[in-house]
Amino acid sequence: MNIYLMIKNTFRNKRFIFFTILTPFFWYIALVMMSKTSGFYKTKYAYIWFTVSCLIGIAGNSLVLFAKSINSMKNFYELQIATSKYTILKWLYDEIIVQLVLNTIICLVILIVTFLIGHVEFSLKFVLLIIILNILGCYLSLFGFTLGQFLMQGPLMNLVF
């Protein structure tokens, strides 16, 4: 499937927008506001709050939403794999690329908020942090892929999701 179409379909998902973009966005704002009102706001904590907020979005995207989407599209891709040269490795590769793009977007949204609210300047630390978070996102995506393929079948999937 076209990677652009996969990303476009993901942004149509209201759960993705709410749980993986807006929730970390508001989480970061809440952390900054609480620290400012409590009197312990320092710029060095902005990196920690940025990391925690990104991890909330990345974990939600890579584990929960990715496992659900893999499981719901499993029959379609099994048919496509059986009738074309599209392999499970190509499917996984395409999905990991999509997850990297989505996780980067999550980090960039929170990074923009960090600059607007957190009074932090852009540095190489943020770039390195986004790279590390995306590596962790790839690992969680592989775990979510496994969950979607093997563990989320039948009544268990209906209970969890």
Side-chain angles (χ1 to χ4, degrees):
M1 186 182 259
N2 188 342
I3 293 174
Y4 172 74
L5 291 175
M6 294 163 77
I7 294 170
K8 187 176 171 182
N9 285 339
T10 303
F11 276 102
R12 290 182 183 162
N13 184 350
K14 293 175 185 159
R15 288 178 299 200
F16 171 79
I17 298 296
F18 181 75
F19 288 111
T20 60
I21 293 186
L22 292 179
T23 300
F25 172 85
F26 289 121
W27 184 260
Y28 182 81
I29 291 172
L31 287 172
V32 170
M33 294 303 159
M34 286 188 311
S35 68
K36 284 185 177 182
T37 58
S38 299
F40 68 89
Y41 177 80
K42 292 185 181 175
T43 304
K44 66 180 179 180
Y45 296 136
Y47 294 104
I48 296 169
W49 297 323
F50 172 78
T51 304
V52 169
S53 300
C54 287
L55 284 176
I56 290 170
I58 288 173
N61 179 42
S62 298
L63 287 175
V64 179
L65 292 175
F66 187 52
K68 173 70 173 161
S69 69
I70 290 297
N71 189 271
S72 65
M73 297 179 71
K74 184 177 178 182
N75 292 336
F76 169 74
Y77 282 107
E78 284 176 349
L79 178 65
Q80 190 173 11
I81 288 167
T83 59
S84 70
K85 292 182 181 183
Y86 200 68
T87 65
I88 191 117
L89 291 176
K90 177 66 175 149
W91 179 29
L92 179 60
Y93 174 78
D94 289 346
E95 291 290 347
I96 293 293
I97 296 296
V98 169
Q99 291 301 309
L100 276 171
V101 170
L102 295 174
N103 290 340
T104 303
I105 290 170
I106 292 166
C107 290
L108 291 178
V109 167
I110 298 169
L111 188 63
I112 290 168
V113 174
T114 302
F115 294 145
L116 295 177
I117 292 178
H119 307 293
V120 179
E121 294 180 10
F122 184 76
S123 67
L124 190 59
K125 290 179 185 178
F126 279 114
V127 174
L128 183 62
L129 198 52
I130 289 172
I131 291 170
I132 291 169
L133 288 169
N134 273 317
I135 291 169
L136 179 64
C138 287
Y139 171 75
L140 293 174
S141 294
L142 290 173
F143 192 67
F145 185 82
T146 305
L147 282 175
Q149 282 293 313
F150 302 110
L151 300 178
M152 300 307 214
Q153 296 185 10
L156 179 61
M157 187 182 85
N158 295 331
L159 289 174
V160 176
F161 299 105

